[in-house]
Amino acid sequence: MTKPLLEVEDLRVRFHLRTGTVEAVRGVSFQLGRERLGIVGESGSGKSQTGRAILGLTPPPGEVTAKHLAFDGIDLQTASKRTLRQLRGGRISMVMQDPKYSLNPVMTIGEQIIEAYQAHKKASRAEARDKALAMLEAVKMRDPQRVFSLYPHEVSGGMGQRAMIAMMLVTDPDMLIADEPTSALDVTVSMEVLRILDELVSERGMSLIFISHDLKLVSSFCDRVLVMYAGRVVEELEARNLREAKHPYTQGLMRCLPTLKDDVRPLPTLNRDPSWAL
Ligand SMILES: Nc1ncnc2c1ncn2[C@@H]1O[C@H](COP(=O)(O)OP(=O)(O)OP(=O)(O)O)[C@@H](O)[C@H]1O
Ligand SMILES: [Mg+2]
């Protein structure tokens, strides 16, 4: 078997606050090959913090520890700042949950994509500009020329999210962490974005970590699914075997999925057992 691209063993993220310590991620382990891995779980279960810790983007005062954290054999815990900077935005990209905080408000969208490209590739400005426009087109931006010269506050939430995706994919990364990448998009644009991601995975062999709270979307789009609850992975499944879920939390989620066939009344509720969080 070839070595996995990403190895995560016993990842922990803690926030030491005045009011006590919050354990956001409590011993997450998984490996990622050339595949689409979904991470699902309810709000606050630690999905985003898992993604951010892998990239070294845990916000202060967060503390990250792991037994092993490696990308393509590079130990991410001991790598130099320079190596990490080169990896981030180059071979590894992350689409953050809220594009508002990730786009620079005082730079046009086009300039930001050009900057991202030139930071990692040797390219003339004209080449970078062509690439940026092609990327805006690839994320189905209507009138890419116009969007190119707009500032982030001049575009809608969904356009901002697609601009962000364009910026993250412009360097052709080997691995993309996409944190709720379609949450601000309507169904049709959301499907377009998923199709773009799907193409990158199948044509270029990009590895994808797809974070979402939408179990149905994740199971139809990903190959494998990690289910998180209270900072831990409670279940790992092949997406096609979701019906064989053993953990009561996953089973509860499945029961809560709406169906067209049956009119379920009263609507099912998920009763959380305190022992799941132990
Ligand atoms: N900057 C921070 N300071 C303190 N605690 C934090 C901070 N950021 C996140 N947390 C805590 O870490 C836990 C996990 O948060 P995380 O953002 O990973 O959740 P999530 O699964 O991505 O949820 P959502 O679906 O709402 O995006 C939460 O309990 C949250 O309160
Ligand atoms: Mg999140």
Side-chain angles (χ1 to χ4, degrees):
M1 200 182 117
T2 51
K3 216 171 157 54
L5 188 64
L6 179 73
E7 297 161 274
V8 179
E9 197 188 337
D10 199 17
L11 177 71
R12 290 170 189 272
V13 181
R14 295 186 189 87
F15 292 94
H16 301 291
L17 307 173
R18 248 173 309 149
T19 45
T21 299
V22 177
E23 293 196 82
V25 179
R26 304 188 299 152
V28 164
S29 302
F30 66 92
Q31 298 192 331
L32 178 75
R34 299 268 174 214
E35 60 181 322
R36 281 165 290 213
L37 175 72
I39 302 185
V40 286
E42 63 185 357
S43 183
S45 56
K47 306 179 299 291
S48 295
Q49 291 304 335
T50 299
R52 295 180 73 128
I54 293 166
L55 266 100
L57 293 177
T58 303
E63 172 202 54
V64 178
T65 59
K67 279 207 188 102
H68 187 56
L69 189 59
F71 173 78
D72 200 10
I74 303 166
D75 186 336
L76 295 174
Q77 293 185 98
T78 55
S80 67
K81 283 218 167 72
R82 186 158 174 264
T83 307
L84 287 178
R85 259 203 314 273
Q86 275 168 351
L87 284 178
R88 268 200 303 261
R91 295 188 62 199
I92 315 177
S93 272
M94 179 162 180
V95 176
M96 296 279 185
Q97 194 163 5
D98 193 337
K100 270 198 216 82
Y101 299 114
S102 314
L103 293 170
N104 182 343
V106 296
M107 240 173 131
T108 63
I109 286 171
E111 284 303 327
Q112 294 187 52
I113 303 177
I114 288 181
E115 190 180 64
Y117 190 64
Q118 287 190 314
H120 296 280
K121 308 268 174 191
K122 281 199 179 67
S124 70
R125 203 183 141 75
E127 279 165 4
R129 197 189 142 82
D130 287 349
K131 184 82 188 171
L133 277 170
M135 218 54 233
L136 285 175
E137 221 162 287
V139 294
K140 306 287 167 204
M141 209 67 102
R142 216 183 295 149
D143 200 355
Q145 294 275 358
R146 189 179 72 91
V147 177
F148 188 90
S149 45
L150 294 179
Y151 287 90
H153 73 272
E154 295 173 317
V155 300
S156 71
M159 285 162 85
Q161 207 159 24
R162 274 178 288 160
M164 184 67 208
I165 292 169
M167 191 162 99
M168 289 305 147
L169 293 179
V170 75
T171 55
D172 289 335
D174 294 326
M175 178 173 96
L176 177 74
I177 302 177
D179 192 356
E180 306 267 6
T182 57
S183 57
L185 305 176
D186 66 56
V187 179
T188 50
V189 180
S190 161
M191 291 321 286
E192 283 293 343
V193 168
L194 290 179
R195 209 178 45 76
I196 296 161
L197 291 178
D198 198 39
E199 266 172 31
L200 284 159
V201 173
S202 30
E203 284 170 19
R204 296 203 37 255
M206 183 180 78
S207 301
L208 178 71
I209 297 182
F210 185 82
I211 299 176
S212 171
H213 59 270
D214 187 337
L215 183 65
K216 201 162 196 166
L217 180 69
V218 165
S219 58
S220 61
F221 183 63
C222 295
D223 308 309
R224 198 154 56 96
V225 182
L226 302 181
V227 182
M228 283 190 74
Y229 188 83
R232 283 192 210 283
V233 174
V234 293
E235 185 137 39
E236 182 176 339
L237 286 159
E238 294 296 317
R240 61 174 184 280
N241 297 339
L242 214 58
R243 294 197 177 282
E244 292 159 27
K246 292 201 176 53
H247 195 278
Y249 172 66
T250 326
Q251 289 174 345
L253 280 184
M254 303 275 295
R255 267 196 302 277
C256 293
L257 291 178
T259 60
L260 282 176
K261 264 201 330 276
D262 313 308
D263 191 3
V264 186
R265 267 164 224 265
L267 289 172
T269 47
L270 184 62
N271 293 317
R272 292 161 179 75
D273 186 329
S275 70
W276 300 347
L278 293 179

